[in-house]
PDB file of all heavy atoms in Angstrom:
ATOM      1  N   ILE Z  57     -11.137  24.435  -5.057  1.00  0.00           N
ATOM      2  CA  ILE Z  57     -10.504  23.169  -5.360  1.00  0.00           C
ATOM      3  C   ILE Z  57     -11.647  22.176  -6.065  1.00  0.00           C
ATOM      4  O   ILE Z  57     -12.789  22.369  -5.699  1.00  0.00           O
ATOM      5  CB  ILE Z  57      -9.767  22.361  -4.417  1.00  0.00           C
ATOM      6  CG1 ILE Z  57     -10.849  22.056  -3.290  1.00  0.00           C
ATOM      7  CG2 ILE Z  57      -8.680  23.118  -3.778  1.00  0.00           C
ATOM      8  CD1 ILE Z  57     -10.364  21.038  -2.287  1.00  0.00           C
ATOM      9  N   GLU Z  58     -11.253  21.452  -7.044  1.00  0.00           N
ATOM     10  CA  GLU Z  58     -12.168  20.597  -7.631  1.00  0.00           C
ATOM     11  C   GLU Z  58     -11.546  19.196  -7.807  1.00  0.00           C
ATOM     12  O   GLU Z  58     -10.379  19.056  -8.095  1.00  0.00           O
ATOM     13  CB  GLU Z  58     -12.676  21.110  -8.935  1.00  0.00           C
ATOM     14  CG  GLU Z  58     -13.572  22.316  -8.838  1.00  0.00           C
ATOM     15  CD  GLU Z  58     -14.020  22.694 -10.268  1.00  0.00           C
ATOM     16  OE1 GLU Z  58     -13.599  22.227 -11.304  1.00  0.00           O
ATOM     17  OE2 GLU Z  58     -14.911  23.509 -10.324  1.00  0.00           O
ATOM     18  N   LEU Z  59     -12.220  18.114  -7.624  1.00  0.00           N
ATOM     19  CA  LEU Z  59     -11.830  16.812  -7.933  1.00  0.00           C
ATOM     20  C   LEU Z  59     -11.599  16.465  -9.432  1.00  0.00           C
ATOM     21  O   LEU Z  59     -12.464  16.839 -10.202  1.00  0.00           O
ATOM     22  CB  LEU Z  59     -12.781  15.725  -7.302  1.00  0.00           C
ATOM     23  CG  LEU Z  59     -12.667  15.459  -5.764  1.00  0.00           C
ATOM     24  CD1 LEU Z  59     -13.959  14.698  -5.303  1.00  0.00           C
ATOM     25  CD2 LEU Z  59     -11.351  14.863  -5.334  1.00  0.00           C
ATOM     26  N   THR Z  60     -10.570  15.844  -9.818  1.00  0.00           N
ATOM     27  CA  THR Z  60     -10.519  15.323 -11.174  1.00  0.00           C
ATOM     28  C   THR Z  60     -11.439  14.131 -11.320  1.00  0.00           C
ATOM     29  O   THR Z  60     -11.962  13.498 -10.217  1.00  0.00           O
ATOM     30  CB  THR Z  60      -9.131  14.984 -11.492  1.00  0.00           C
ATOM     31  OG1 THR Z  60      -8.649  13.934 -10.673  1.00  0.00           O
ATOM     32  CG2 THR Z  60      -8.155  16.098 -11.253  1.00  0.00           C
ATOM     33  N   ASP Z  61     -11.570  13.594 -12.446  1.00  0.00           N
ATOM     34  CA  ASP Z  61     -12.424  12.416 -12.702  1.00  0.00           C
ATOM     35  C   ASP Z  61     -11.730  11.233 -11.845  1.00  0.00           C
ATOM     36  O   ASP Z  61     -12.460  10.456 -11.188  1.00  0.00           O
ATOM     37  CB  ASP Z  61     -12.506  12.024 -14.155  1.00  0.00           C
ATOM     38  CG  ASP Z  61     -13.365  13.023 -14.763  1.00  0.00           C
ATOM     39  OD1 ASP Z  61     -14.238  13.754 -14.125  1.00  0.00           O
ATOM     40  OD2 ASP Z  61     -13.353  13.115 -16.142  1.00  0.00           O
ATOM     41  N   GLU Z  62     -10.373  11.138 -12.043  1.00  0.00           N
ATOM     42  CA  GLU Z  62      -9.681  10.033 -11.198  1.00  0.00           C
ATOM     43  C   GLU Z  62      -9.915  10.285  -9.781  1.00  0.00           C
ATOM     44  O   GLU Z  62     -10.041   9.292  -8.953  1.00  0.00           O
ATOM     45  CB  GLU Z  62      -8.178  10.051 -11.676  1.00  0.00           C
ATOM     46  CG  GLU Z  62      -7.948   9.655 -13.129  1.00  0.00           C
ATOM     47  CD  GLU Z  62      -8.020  10.889 -13.994  1.00  0.00           C
ATOM     48  OE1 GLU Z  62      -8.409  12.000 -13.548  1.00  0.00           O
ATOM     49  OE2 GLU Z  62      -7.855  10.688 -15.292  1.00  0.00           O
ATOM     50  N   GLY Z  63      -9.692  11.500  -9.336  1.00  0.00           N
ATOM     51  CA  GLY Z  63      -9.915  11.821  -7.936  1.00  0.00           C
ATOM     52  C   GLY Z  63     -11.233  11.469  -7.363  1.00  0.00           C
ATOM     53  O   GLY Z  63     -11.218  11.049  -6.208  1.00  0.00           O
ATOM     54  N   ARG Z  64     -12.228  11.719  -8.155  1.00  0.00           N
ATOM     55  CA  ARG Z  64     -13.609  11.423  -7.615  1.00  0.00           C
ATOM     56  C   ARG Z  64     -13.837   9.913  -7.404  1.00  0.00           C
ATOM     57  O   ARG Z  64     -14.400   9.589  -6.361  1.00  0.00           O
ATOM     58  CB  ARG Z  64     -14.721  11.940  -8.714  1.00  0.00           C
ATOM     59  CG  ARG Z  64     -16.072  11.851  -8.161  1.00  0.00           C
ATOM     60  CD  ARG Z  64     -16.950  12.659  -9.157  1.00  0.00           C
ATOM     61  NE  ARG Z  64     -16.619  14.099  -9.196  1.00  0.00           N
ATOM     62  CZ  ARG Z  64     -16.066  14.708 -10.269  1.00  0.00           C
ATOM     63  NH1 ARG Z  64     -15.713  13.965 -11.342  1.00  0.00           N
ATOM     64  NH2 ARG Z  64     -15.815  15.929 -10.197  1.00  0.00           N
ATOM     65  N   GLN Z  65     -13.318   9.037  -8.298  1.00  0.00           N
ATOM     66  CA  GLN Z  65     -13.344   7.637  -8.034  1.00  0.00           C
ATOM     67  C   GLN Z  65     -12.698   7.274  -6.931  1.00  0.00           C
ATOM     68  O   GLN Z  65     -13.004   6.352  -6.119  1.00  0.00           O
ATOM     69  CB  GLN Z  65     -13.084   7.004  -9.341  1.00  0.00           C
ATOM     70  CG  GLN Z  65     -13.853   7.222 -10.468  1.00  0.00           C
ATOM     71  CD  GLN Z  65     -13.373   6.566 -11.829  1.00  0.00           C
ATOM     72  OE1 GLN Z  65     -12.478   5.887 -11.832  1.00  0.00           O
ATOM     73  NE2 GLN Z  65     -13.995   6.919 -12.996  1.00  0.00           N
ATOM     74  N   PHE Z  66     -11.448   7.822  -6.781  1.00  0.00           N
ATOM     75  CA  PHE Z  66     -10.532   7.373  -5.666  1.00  0.00           C
ATOM     76  C   PHE Z  66     -11.091   7.762  -4.349  1.00  0.00           C
ATOM     77  O   PHE Z  66     -11.090   7.044  -3.407  1.00  0.00           O
ATOM     78  CB  PHE Z  66      -9.187   8.128  -5.978  1.00  0.00           C
ATOM     79  CG  PHE Z  66      -8.094   7.775  -4.861  1.00  0.00           C
ATOM     80  CD1 PHE Z  66      -7.725   6.510  -4.674  1.00  0.00           C
ATOM     81  CD2 PHE Z  66      -7.629   8.749  -4.020  1.00  0.00           C
ATOM     82  CE1 PHE Z  66      -6.740   6.088  -3.756  1.00  0.00           C
ATOM     83  CE2 PHE Z  66      -6.715   8.554  -2.981  1.00  0.00           C
ATOM     84  CZ  PHE Z  66      -6.163   7.143  -2.987  1.00  0.00           C
ATOM     85  N   ILE Z  67     -11.676   8.968  -4.331  1.00  0.00           N
ATOM     86  CA  ILE Z  67     -12.202   9.419  -2.986  1.00  0.00           C
ATOM     87  C   ILE Z  67     -13.380   8.605  -2.477  1.00  0.00           C
ATOM     88  O   ILE Z  67     -13.506   8.259  -1.282  1.00  0.00           O
ATOM     89  CB  ILE Z  67     -12.776  10.991  -3.042  1.00  0.00           C
ATOM     90  CG1 ILE Z  67     -11.500  11.919  -3.168  1.00  0.00           C
ATOM     91  CG2 ILE Z  67     -13.643  11.338  -2.001  1.00  0.00           C
ATOM     92  CD1 ILE Z  67     -10.676  11.784  -1.841  1.00  0.00           C
ATOM     93  N   ASP Z  68     -14.238   8.121  -3.431  1.00  0.00           N
ATOM     94  CA  ASP Z  68     -15.363   7.295  -3.076  1.00  0.00           C
ATOM     95  C   ASP Z  68     -14.807   5.983  -2.420  1.00  0.00           C
ATOM     96  O   ASP Z  68     -15.329   5.533  -1.461  1.00  0.00           O
ATOM     97  CB  ASP Z  68     -16.193   7.053  -4.351  1.00  0.00           C
ATOM     98  CG  ASP Z  68     -17.046   8.090  -4.799  1.00  0.00           C
ATOM     99  OD1 ASP Z  68     -17.189   9.007  -3.989  1.00  0.00           O
ATOM    100  OD2 ASP Z  68     -17.307   8.053  -5.956  1.00  0.00           O
ATOM    101  N   SER Z  69     -13.670   5.381  -3.085  1.00  0.00           N
ATOM    102  CA  SER Z  69     -13.117   4.226  -2.450  1.00  0.00           C
ATOM    103  C   SER Z  69     -12.430   4.413  -1.152  1.00  0.00           C
ATOM    104  O   SER Z  69     -12.470   3.598  -0.262  1.00  0.00           O
ATOM    105  CB  SER Z  69     -12.210   3.599  -3.487  1.00  0.00           C
ATOM    106  OG  SER Z  69     -12.682   3.326  -4.698  1.00  0.00           O
TER     107      SER Z  69
END
Side-chain angles (χ1 to χ4, degrees):
I57 61 166
E58 290 183 346
L59 282 167
T60 63
D61 288 341
E62 295 84 0
R64 191 171 293 108
Q65 296 174 10
F66 181 65
I67 286 296
D68 288 343
S69 298

